[in-house]
Every structure is written in C-alpha cells, then in structure tokens.
Amino acid sequence: MSVQPRVDLDTLPSYVAGRTVPDAIKLSSNESPGGPLPSVAKAIAAAASDVNRYPDNAVTQLSQRLADKVRLPVEQIAVGCGSVSLCQQLVQAMCAPGEEVVFAWRSFEAYPTVTQVAAAAQVRVPLDATLSHDLDAMLAAITPRTRLVFVCNPNNPTGTAVRRDTLARFLDAVPSNVLVALDEAYREYVTDPGVPDGLEFVRERGNVAVLRTFSKAYGLAGLRVGYLVGPEEITSAVKKVYVPFSVNALAQTAALACLDAEDELLARCTQTAAERERVRAQLCDLGYEIPESQANFVWLPLGERALEFFDHMLANKIVVRAFQGDGVRVTVSSPDENDQFLMAAATFPR
Ligand SMILES: *Cc1c(COP(=O)(O)O)cnc(C)c1O
C-alpha cells in the first residue's frame, strides 16, 4: 500500500504562475516594473542581519501602521503572507466543508484553488457581456449555504471595475450573514472616481472586508505581504487559521519602508495608469477590442486564438498570460517594454 493523499486533490487545478523565460520581457504577472526604492532595499538589507530571529507573529508595528493609514482600529486589520494567503484564510475561517463560496468567472485564479483546498464548494458566476461582474446573477447565486462572496475590483484578468452605486445596491441585497470580500489588489491604479474605495463599505457595514496587497503597486511581490481590513469577528477568525510566522521579518520591514515612501510609489502608479491608457488606445487603433481597464494590465478577448497570440509574443521574446478560450492578459510595464509589446501586437496576423 502506498501513502494516500486526499482523493479530492486529484481534481485540484494547480496554480499556474506567470512564466519566466530568460531574456524575455515579463508581462505575465502584473508586477511593478521598477525594482524596490533605494530606501526600501536598504531597509531589507538592514533587516537581513536579524534573520536568525523569528518574525513578530502578531505583525504589531505594520498592523498599527495600516490601521492609522485606513483610520480604523487595529483590531480590524489582519496581515497575511500575500493576499492570496488571506483569501485562503477567509475561506477556512468562514466555511465548513461543503459550504459555498461565490465568485465571478473568469476572475482571480486563486479563488477556485483556495476554495477547494478548504473543502468548500465553488459557485462560479459568469462575467456579463462587458466582461464585468454580473452582480445580479451573483446575488441570485447566493443560497442558505453561501458563506462568502469574492468581488475582485478591478477584476483580474479583465481589468473591468464595478461602480459605487451598483456595488452599494448589491451589498444592500446580500444577506447580512454572508461576508463580501472586496479584493482590491489593484486599487492604487484606479483612476475612475466612480469606482469606490472598498473601505467606504467596511466602515458602513458589518459584512464587508477589503483585501489589499504590497505585491503590485508597492513592488514587493517577492516578499509576500498583504492585508485584510474588515469586521473584528472576521479578522480574529482569520488570525486563528494563520500559519504561524508566515509573514516574514523582511516582508514586515519592507512594507513599513514602502509606507514611508508611499507618495513616490503612488506616483509610479499614476505613470502606469497613463501608460495603460496609451497601450489600450494603440491596441484599439490596431483593431483589438480592449475593455476599459482600471488595473495595471489590459485584457485581449481573443477566445480560441489566445494561445496563438501567446506563441507570437514568445517568438518576440515577450511573455504574456493566456487563458485559452477566453483571452490574454498583458501587464502594463515601462514605456519601453510597452512599446516592444505594441510592436509585436501590430504584427500578429489578424
Ligand atoms: C495579484 C493579486 C493578489 C495578490 O496576491 P499576493 O498574494 O498579495 O501577491 C490578490 N488578488 C488578486 C486579484 C490579484 O491579482
């Protein structure tokens, strides 16, 4: 007899990370193009001399700093090893086996995985014709077994964002015992004032949480740190299923250094948002249909030609993220890398 892992893991999709190809331009993981700011790199280097010590398991300093930033009590903050980890903790904290998690599809690839790992049931609700969340359909999908709803705003991978009134009406209708997690990994790139800051809803309601990350706008994808802002019952429950010490010391130090340099980092996001508009306009001129994006990537709804586009880009030493049958997601990077992408997009046979 051989060892027997859980049988249901056989059907678990493996997380497919953006590919890294030597010497190629990587536009597949929505990372920030610039390296860490000198002040952040210095803080990380200084913290390196203490790595024989365990990190602060309670993430005290960073949690307090985030609480000050969002102007809420520190009890309403939970820091995690990336917001992916917080997604998984949320499912574990909310759902008994078989209870339901509702999310849009296509959306963030981690939702199916974290739901299944926690032995909860996935309820996927197709995006609408504009590739946005269909909040009416998501509402209709809520049953007495539903415990958690993810709303990814702006949505990865389509870049579309739900507006304040639409979201408020949805939240009004969701039963008060169902938690709505607003995944705002790309919040810092939002330029449309009609797209709400989810924290507005955390302040007003007892069943809303917001997920944010240092991986994108703050450029710390390699260090793994994200946070959740929500009702205290939720943050306490999420902390119970936290893997001890998983937010490492370098990550805590680096996140604090990023908050010290926040203005500079947010200025980078403004540049990225401007590049996003330029890239989208040029793609539209080339004849591509590109939904408006509020994130640091654009979506090419190429359907069955997604892999062909991926291969074309790879031949041009550019790595993008393809979802065969749906489309291709391309990260907005530096002006130079974006130009190289646009040149290659112009030669894709259409
Ligand atoms: C990138 C991303 C995250 C953040 O992941 P980390 O674990 O914090 O690196 C969360 N949600 C969405 C939708 C993302 O695209």
Side-chain angles (χ1 to χ4, degrees):
M1 265 250 295
S2 58
V3 288
Q4 294 293 328
R6 267 165 59 183
V7 181
D8 68 300
L9 291 190
D10 288 346
T11 61
L12 190 69
S14 304
Y15 186 84
V16 186
R19 257 172 80 177
T20 302
V21 175
D23 301 326
I25 295 177
K26 189 180 177 210
L27 304 179
S28 53
S29 295
N30 300 341
E31 294 149 340
S32 173
L37 295 174
S39 60
V40 176
K42 208 172 133 196
I44 295 169
S49 58
D50 289 328
V51 294
N52 54 313
R53 306 292 176 194
Y54 279 100
D56 173 9
N57 193 49
V59 200
T60 314
Q61 231 189 320
L62 178 57
S63 301
Q64 187 57 58
R65 190 66 186 276
L66 290 166
D68 295 344
K69 172 178 152 70
V70 302
R71 282 174 281 112
L72 282 166
V74 70
E75 291 75 22
Q76 289 194 250
I77 307 286
V79 180
C81 177
S83 53
V84 164
S85 180
L86 287 163
C87 290
Q88 182 159 331
Q89 287 169 258
L90 269 178
V91 181
Q92 289 174 320
M94 295 301 299
C95 299
E99 288 184 330
E100 292 165 0
V101 181
V102 173
F103 49 84
W105 201 250
R106 185 169 280 281
S107 188
F108 187 35
E109 286 167 284
Y111 302 149
T113 318
V114 299
T115 301
Q116 197 174 337
V117 165
Q122 303 173 35
V123 178
R124 301 184 187 194
V125 179
L127 296 171
D128 68 14
T130 67
L131 303 178
S132 304
H133 277 74
D134 186 342
L135 291 180
D136 289 336
M138 289 177 77
L139 189 63
I142 293 175
T143 74
R145 295 170 62 75
T146 306
R147 305 282 294 142
L148 174 63
V149 180
F150 283 110
V151 175
C152 187
N153 201 33
N155 188 46
N156 175 2
T158 57
T160 54
V162 295
R163 318 293 294 250
R164 182 174 288 103
D165 295 353
T166 319
L167 187 54
R169 248 180 288 122
F170 171 75
L171 294 173
D172 285 343
V174 170
S176 58
N177 65 331
V178 173
L179 180 72
V180 179
L182 303 173
D183 186 342
E184 297 187 334
Y186 301 97
R187 172 67 203 168
E188 294 83 358
Y189 302 99
V190 170
T191 51
D192 178 347
V195 178
D197 178 333
L199 294 171
E200 293 172 22
F201 299 110
V202 175
R203 285 179 223 287
E204 291 165 359
R205 296 163 194 260
N207 66 333
V208 178
V210 162
L211 289 160
R212 298 267 175 94
T213 179
F214 283 90
S215 294
K216 311 284 161 54
Y218 294 84
L220 297 184
L223 280 181
R224 317 301 309 127
V225 56
Y227 60 101
L228 176 145
V229 188
E232 194 178 336
E233 302 92 293
I234 301 302
T235 52
S236 324
V238 156
K239 287 172 192 177
K240 286 187 182 169
V241 295
Y242 174 69
V243 174
F245 306 112
S246 56
V247 181
N248 71 72
L250 300 189
Q252 294 186 35
T253 300
L256 284 163
C258 282
L259 292 173
D260 285 338
E262 194 163 35
D263 292 349
E264 215 171 327
L265 291 167
L266 295 181
R268 284 185 175 182
C269 296
T270 307
Q271 287 170 4
T272 300
E275 276 295 290
R276 169 187 79 209
E277 298 310 318
R278 183 178 75 90
V279 168
R280 175 169 182 263
Q282 288 208 26
L283 287 172
C284 290
D285 285 349
L286 290 169
Y288 292 93
E289 270 180 51
I290 312 292
E292 265 186 53
S293 170
Q294 287 292 307
N296 67 340
F297 52 84
V298 291
W299 175 249
L300 288 70
L302 292 168
E304 298 303 326
R305 294 194 72 197
L307 277 182
E308 203 184 324
F309 187 87
F310 174 90
D311 289 337
H312 174 79
M313 284 296 150
L314 202 56
N316 285 277
K317 292 237 162 221
I318 298 171
V319 185
V320 297
R321 181 77 73 102
F323 302 96
Q324 181 65 347
D326 275 353
V328 176
R329 191 192 69 199
V330 182
T331 304
V332 175
S333 183
S334 61
D336 173 56
E337 293 193 350
N338 297 336
D339 282 342
Q340 296 195 50
F341 162 70
L342 287 167
M343 260 185 322
T347 60
F348 181 62
R350 299 171 51 74

